[in-house]
DNA sequence: GAACCTACCTAACGCTTGTTAGGTTTGTCA
DNA sequence: TGACAAACCTAACAAGCGTTAGGTAGGTTC
């Protein structure tokens, strides 16, 4: 019927990838078995090898998709900010974009945040380049926003901010009282002005 | 020869615990095998069961020791601050104490920070009470230091700070250029005043 | 010196793991 | 109609897992 690849079908490969991402998030790399992934997809374990050459390759694919989502979100946020000079607006919008990628774009990004350091060394090595390029985008952003600070200082501030943002994957519930937008505002405010606003 | 338990011997049990903590940090709970722990201790896998009734119980023991270290460090910091009112000094000293526990008190605390969420549900449940009591200490501290803010707001600020502090376990190298003290100062400053000090 | 405990070892158990070889079904294309 | 490939299944493999039963060596206690 269809012309083929124009309207993208949910292929078997993509369904394996989806199931794998979700299980990797919940159970980590070693804690997730190919038989679990197969069962969640609706196929048998051996059939996974028709789409991926190994469990490691499957995990690399999940992690890479995760970073692609974040890089796209970053670029989109940057485009939407073309007309603004306000440092606070820039920071808040990029924090919101990072958190949205974690909480609203499926488990791919979350897998990256929670399971990266538990992965085998070869897996980490395969993902590091793309991961670095995302971090470089933030470094360059900070150098534009805070020209008075030196590079080392800004790298440290970025790592502190990343720690705060990525840790939210472990305690924040997007279905709870706080929305992702409010969380982004809180983290952004905290990052820019600190907590001394509350001193008596 | 000795009178027995007065000078604490490095018993077999403690050596198993040490090896286990280090391996859990590097490889996570599922990624670490009892045979690896046994080999690192210098005994055989089956012998571990003379000291611990299961792999889960061993992990619980490691995590519990980790929190005890942090609670002790917190109390010690609080005692040493008895004469001071300065909010910034209080924050910096407690941040330093938390980071010291991570980087200078062996792998027990680090295991807690990096491997807690990858543990089986039963393990987490067994450790949660002590973990909560540590977090409560911070909540109470914040309510004293920032009486103008409400409880919810302070909880959020604490979670942001915890995220930033605990994430350092994944990138900070205590043998590198920055000392733990300098890192503590940077995170404490960031927490209190934010980054706007660098605006042009 | 007999009884007993602690700290280990040996050797295996049942089970699960990632992976593979070979077969079957289904749909496309010439 | 026949060739072909994509997408799956079956059934097994070697290796490794947590765990256990039973044994041994050395020290302490009565």
């Amino acid at each position: 019927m269809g012309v083929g690849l124009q309207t993208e079908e949910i292929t078997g490969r993509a369904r394996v990838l989806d199931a794998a991402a979700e299980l990797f998030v919940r159970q980590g790399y070693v804690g997730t078995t190919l038989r679990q992934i197969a069962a969640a997809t609706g196929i048998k374990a051996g059939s996974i090898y028709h789409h991926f050459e190994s469990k490691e390759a499957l995990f690399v694919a999940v992690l890479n998709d995760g970073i692609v989502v974040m890089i796209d979100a970053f670029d989109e946020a940057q485009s939407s900010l073309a007309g603004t000079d306000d440092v606070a607006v820039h920071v808040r919008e990029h924090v919101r974009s990072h958190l949205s990628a974690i909480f609203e774009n499926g488990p791919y990004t979350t897998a990256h945040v929670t399971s990266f350091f538990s992965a085998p060394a070869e897996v980490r090595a395969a993902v590091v380049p793309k991961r670095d390029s995302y971090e470089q985008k933030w470094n360059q952003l900070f150098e534009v926003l805070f020209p008075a600070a030196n590079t080392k200082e800004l790298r440290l501030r970025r790592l502190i901010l990343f720690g705060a943002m990525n840790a939210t994957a472990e305690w924040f519930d997007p279905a709870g009282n706080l929305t992702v937008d409010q969380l982004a505002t809180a983290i952004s405010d905290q990052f820019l002005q600190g907590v001394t606003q509350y001193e008596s």
Side-chain angles (χ1 to χ4, degrees), chain A:
Chain A
M1 297 272 180
V3 238
L5 289 174
Q6 283 205 343
T7 51
E8 197 145 350
E9 293 281 342
I10 305 170
T11 75
R13 186 180 197 273
R15 285 175 52 234
V16 172
L17 222 56
D18 279 352
E22 201 186 306
L23 286 165
F24 282 144
V25 167
R26 293 216 312 265
Q27 310 178 332
Y29 175 72
V30 230
T32 301
T33 72
L34 290 179
R35 282 168 178 84
Q36 289 176 334
I37 297 172
T41 312
I43 62 176
K44 294 299 153 93
S47 308
I48 293 180
Y49 286 82
H50 185 256
H51 301 290
F52 302 93
E53 69 170 0
S54 69
K55 188 188 179 186
E56 288 201 356
L58 171 55
F59 194 36
V60 168
V62 168
L63 292 183
N64 261 329
D65 278 22
I67 323 181
V68 167
V69 168
M70 309 204 73
I71 290 179
D72 288 353
F74 186 99
D75 290 342
E76 200 174 322
Q78 204 153 39
S79 309
S80 80
L81 287 165
T84 323
D85 266 0
D86 191 327
V87 171
V89 172
H90 271 81
V91 169
R92 182 177 7 96
E93 204 51 28
H94 277 103
V95 167
R96 202 193 52 73
S97 139
H98 186 97
L99 294 177
S100 286
I102 292 179
F103 293 108
E104 295 166 359
N105 283 52
Y108 291 87
T109 316
T110 320
H112 211 280
V113 163
T114 63
S115 307
F116 176 76
F117 283 96
S118 75
E122 301 98 5
V123 172
R124 288 208 304 274
V127 185
V128 150
K130 260 201 185 98
R131 193 184 167 94
D132 280 354
S133 85
Y134 179 67
E135 291 174 357
Q136 278 310 312
K137 280 177 180 287
W138 276 86
N139 283 337
Q140 285 160 18
L141 172 72
F142 275 19
E143 288 189 3
V144 172
L145 294 183
F146 309 106
N150 68 50
T151 305
K152 243 176 190 169
E153 187 70 33
L154 286 182
R155 196 188 90 96
L156 184 56
R157 302 290 168 183
R158 178 184 61 77
L159 284 165
I160 293 175
L161 177 60
F162 266 49
M165 288 194 299
N166 291 343
T168 59
E170 283 169 354
W171 59 264
F172 178 70
D173 174 18
N177 291 330
L178 214 61
T179 67
V180 171
D181 273 29
Q182 288 170 325
L183 179 64
T185 304
I187 291 184
S188 170
D189 282 0
Q190 169 70 49
F191 178 72
L192 289 167
Q193 293 151 21
V195 83
T196 33
Q197 49 186 306
Y198 296 114
E199 265 188 88
S200 57

